[in-house]
Amino acid sequence: MHGFFCILKMSDYSLHYFLIMPQERSNAMENSINKLIPNSACIKIEHVNRSFGKKQVLFDISLDIPYAQILGLLGPSGSGKSTLVKMIAGIDNPTSGQVYVLDEKMPKLSTMNKIGYMAQSDALYEELTAEENIKFFASLYKLTKSKQKQRITEVMNLVNLSDHLKKQVKQYSGGMKRRLSLAIALIHEPLILILDEPTVGIDPVLRKSIWNELYKLNMNGTTIIVTTHVMDEADKCTNLGMIRDGRLIAIGSPDEIKRTSGSNTIEEAFLYYGGTSK
């Protein structure tokens, strides 16, 4: 099986998972990445607007995302974060403007094959056990049986679900389902990883361990985009884009944003840059 596999939840027509077939993290790939880095950003967003009918949800977004960066997209619910990352992943199109990933205009299937995407809503087979779910998704990534076993152990330990591996997903709480979804997203390390609100419903101790895992992936060269509305998570990112009412109101490292706004916290900076409704 080649290409990508997706699951649609037909009750609300929303795309929950966009699973990417694996790309070998070989020396050849690393060399090809290094050739790209001097000349271009990993992701380029140019004057993107998005409307649904008469309602415009994104307004003239332009953003360059360097390779091997953790970019946080910070904003309240409904600000346009999810819409933006769907266009980066290639599962939605801008009304106007362009999105380029790895120097290719999106959507492009060969580029989508290098992206791992975890949607905001979970899509799990609730009649199956957690182990059956994660093995199914791991098989789509073409992982060998030995690699599957290794990665399942690692990611289930990470999200603290190892003791619940044999339990049916329908017996999971909402937070446990979210953690299982995160484990599935982390089963393989794609070149670009997009996580839409990955730590919602997860306690602070587990959240810390998840961020430690993201740092490890990032150190290995993975470019990571994380959407969040949690202010303290924003400080964990390399760079931060603040979004309010479909507009990018600030971009920079957390320290830069705080310094230029004369703020002590990200929350103060968000309010300074227009985070309050007018």
Side-chain angles (χ1 to χ4, degrees), residues 172-183:
Y172 272 29
S173 67
M176 292 170 72
K177 289 177 183 177
R178 197 66 184 144
R179 284 149 56 193
L180 178 58
S181 296
L182 182 58

Side-chain angles (χ1 to χ4, degrees), residues 45 82 186 273:
I45 302 165
S82 296
L186 293 174
Y273 283 112

Side-chain angles (χ1 to χ4, degrees), residues 52-95:
F52 296 96
K54 295 182 179 180
K55 181 177 175 59
Q56 187 167 351
V57 296
L58 290 177
F59 298 83
D60 196 30
I61 302 289
S62 292
L63 178 65
D64 285 0
I65 304 172
Y67 285 83
Q69 176 182 106
I70 301 178
L71 174 71
L73 292 175
L74 176 68
S77 297
S79 61
K81 303 186 304 294
S82 296
T83 301
L84 182 58
V85 296
K86 284 178 181 178
M87 288 188 287
I88 296 171
I91 57 177
D92 192 16
N93 291 315
T95 304

Side-chain angles (χ1 to χ4, degrees), residues 118-134:
M118 174 187 171
Q120 192 173 34
S121 300
D122 302 310
L124 301 166
Y125 294 102
E126 297 208 348
E127 297 300 320
L128 300 181
T129 65
E131 183 178 36
E132 289 167 336
N133 268 274
I134 202 165

Side-chain angles (χ1 to χ4, degrees), residues 106-127:
M106 298 297 283
K108 184 170 183 179
L109 184 58
S110 61
T111 304
M112 293 161 79
N113 290 341
K114 301 169 186 176
I115 301 171
Y117 174 69
M118 174 187 171
Q120 192 173 34
S121 300
D122 302 310
L124 301 166
Y125 294 102
E126 297 208 348
E127 297 300 320

Side-chain angles (χ1 to χ4, degrees), residues 11 29 43 60-61 65 68 74 97 165 167 172 176 189 201 213 219 224:
S11 61
M29 172 176 278
I43 299 163
D60 196 30
I61 302 289
I65 304 172
L74 176 68
L165 194 60
K167 186 180 293 185
Y172 272 29
M176 292 170 72
E189 298 176 348
E213 177 72 8
M219 289 291 289
I224 302 173

